[in-house]
Amino acid sequence: MYRDPVESLEPLHHRQAAIRTLRVGMIGIGTVGSGTFRVLARNRADIAARAGRSIELVMVAARNLERAAGIVGDSVALTADAMQVATHPDVDVVVEVAGGTGPARDWVLAAIAHGKHVVTANKALLAVHGAGIFAAAREKGVIVAYEGAVAVSIPIIKALREGLAANRIEWVAGIINGTTNFILSKMRDEGLDFAAALAQAQALGYAEADPSFDIEGIDAAHKLTLLAANAFGMPLRFADAQVEGITALQGMDVACAEQLGYRIKLLGVARRQAAGVELRVQPVLVPATHLMAQVNGSMNAVMVKSDAAGLTMYYGAGAGSEQTASAVIADLVDVARLDGVHAAQHVPHLGVHAHATNALAVLPRAAVHTSHYLRVPVHAVNQIQAVAASLAEQKVPVRQVALAAERPGMGPQVLVLTGPVEQGTLDLAVHALQARAEVAGAVTTLRVESLEG
Amino acid sequence: MYRDPVESLEPLHHRQAAIRTLRVGMIGIGTVGSGTFRVLARNRADIAARAGRSIELVMVAARNLERAAGIVGDSVALTADAMQVATHPDVDVVVEVAGGTGPARDWVLAAIAHGKHVVTANKALLAVHGAGIFAAAREKGVIVAYEGAVAVSIPIIKALREGLAANRIEWVAGIINGTTNFILSKMRDEGLDFAAALAQAQALGYAEADPSFDIEGIDAAHKLTLLAANAFGMPLRFADAQVEGITALQGMDVACAEQLGYRIKLLGVARRQAAGVELRVQPVLVPATHLMAQVNGSMNAVMVKSDAAGLTMYYGAGAGSEQTASAVIADLVDVARLDGVHAAQHVPHLGVHAHATNALAVLPRAAVHTSHYLRVPVHAVNQIQAVAASLAEQKVPVRQVALAAERPGMGPQVLVLTGPVEQGTLDLAVHALQARAEVAGAVTTLRVESLEG
């Protein structure tokens, strides 16, 4: 029963009668899918009271049908063919929680082509293929909702797209990968090196067997891409993001940051400059007293600086079965409330209406403008002045210089905090510094974010 | 040009053509009104790109027309008669930012009767008269939006009503009055007594000349009433809220709380129990390491515990001209997106559809169930055991007993932290304790909130 959009043109009393159960087809019944099933069932009455109609799971596609039946029982139709869910006439909205980007893209596009709304938590899919998917959805007048794609428990897409709609947003900075935040918290709390902290995260189920998407910053970059598009009304520019993970981070720098009054967090930062947008994921120093520095373990938080609202922050779990289900179902409630409404009045997929998209460019690495932390191994403690002088000569504003607290097996280390400077200038200065006789080893640099209003 | 709801039944191509500028009439052009005018003008293009249509201020009602003209220039019609804005055919939506509850109620009801949507930041109006106002709005199929009524810069109403729609919410706890949070921060940071901190807040413009609504907790209770209704789908029960301000709080207790590892915050707490809802505003002890304890100065934060999403927190400015404008305009964008849509598909005013309202009762004070802090003046330090024994006898679970650090001019003080206990049991125990010979003065009690998942 593919409902033509023309249905919404029927007289009011017909439409009112037509407000009926929203029928959900789900592709994938893993962690997120089973959580969604569970929460939909447990909170059925409350959800209907909010949505104004029932939301019912009618069909599930799964690779392992026996396992799926063990989860959903016999009230839900099961199929091994995801495309059947994507195109079935009894499905009003398709929830894609299978993950991956190849087949998932085909399913989502098929669902859209069949006039179905789509809810997905698939950040990789949207960050990479979102432009085509959203264009197809606009064409067909359907909604593609994806609150679960970023910082799952936190309604941050909604906050950017609706709650802060009055604002010109200046920057968004987020701890948006729970695995790396867990590892960084372990490194700090227990003085572990990266490898040991990763092993703990894997043992506790906070990191996958192949953790590369998390620890290389790619997962955070997918999410940042979606945040930036919603914040600035710009296209999805995942390919242009500068992405640095935490694999090269040394326990020594976590300790030295602490000594200077900072903590190291893997931040996704999207910041507007006059000439374009900084779009970058990297480990940075954050003042230890800052709220963002208090976000520990696998928790997520996103801070937004905007011209009218000022600084706002959003905090919650960044992963988990029911935590993601919370977002997926919130999207279903939105769909239930807007299904049948003229598509021009849907909240636009990326916050602004497509014709008004702001074709902002992503700035090159050299143009990124932040303060920096440097750790410079030297031969003798009295070479601290030489380090500072070398940087100042190269036009790097030096704000603080200190010797690192002694550590067994390490020679003297000069720690430097700079003022704001373009990355290009800093890179040249570090290159010059590295060549000096006083410098006894590789210079480490990390960005510093004040995250202030 | 009062547009009958029947207009939305026109064929699609007519409706598309009818999507035009949303015309705003504003009642009041004080701090919030002028901020709204300024942000609407400054971000005009961005806001239109998000809303899908222009949002234009066409008419303002002000007591001082000359002053108003100085703010809005000559592009906006001015009138001294608020009722004219509320009923004028050229106005699609009325923004009520004049404050007060008497005339504001008449204006809002008149606007609704004339088929206009309403946006207001007036928490007192809605907490007290919301039931009638929302019922009238449902009847006429118009929206009454009020994001600016609670923790202005933070889209917390939207988070509860939409973002967390999947969840059964267990509790909401908020620092939702900036004036009192500023005063409490001063008391802690500078060791001031309440009166001195209040004087500073007044001198700096963080407290009004008559600060009673803030410092007595009434403003926070208005906001808590709105949060609780949205969290639990319950009616507005302001009259049943237990409200305690910070006027009786002593600097000594701020210091003693600190000694035990806690900070004192004025929290609005709405918590579901089996038999009903706790709805209460009071100064409480919060663990010093908790995120909510880090919310300083005039900032606000709301923490929500829900069954699927878990703990989430929302942080931002709780007052200010453009900060409130951010919320008012977000509501206007929502109205712009939903204007003309069948009313049954609007997001319901209090989160759940009216027929599904949950008639939860507010629990009496005696049934409130929390941990407590007690400060007990005694004659001699060795009477610490007698205090603990007396409480245990009265069925109060004692978790920690300590002597307060000595302070000039103060006799010995026993500090007690209890486990969770009903307020009724605690009150009886304190009554018994107060009568004992060891007790040298009035026993002080404050609630303790762990704010844990």
Side-chain angles (χ1 to χ4, degrees), chain B residues 367-429:
Chain B
V368 169
H369 197 257
T370 70
S371 300
H372 293 265
Y373 153 97
L374 284 75
R375 178 168 56 81
V376 187
V378 290
H379 296 292
V381 295
N382 63 2
Q383 291 167 329
I384 186 169
Q385 280 86 349
V387 168
S390 169
L391 288 168
E393 250 168 49
Q394 299 286 328
K395 302 195 167 47
V396 170
V398 173
R399 291 283 165 81
Q400 188 180 338
V401 190
L403 284 168
E406 281 180 42
R407 284 164 68 102
M410 300 287 289
Q413 313 272 323
V414 175
L415 306 180
V416 181
L417 291 177
T418 79
V421 58
E422 285 193 341
Q423 185 76 48
T425 304
L426 184 88
D427 287 351
L428 291 173

Side-chain angles (χ1 to χ4, degrees), chain A residues 77-118:
Chain A
L78 291 174
T79 172
D81 178 9
M83 201 52 94
Q84 209 187 336
V85 171
T87 61
H88 199 285
D90 288 349
V91 167
D92 302 313
V93 51
V94 173
V95 171
E96 185 281 302
V97 285
T101 54
R105 182 191 189 192
D106 296 338
W107 303 327
V108 165
L109 288 173
I112 292 168
H114 283 73
K116 300 181 194 315
H117 305 294
V118 173

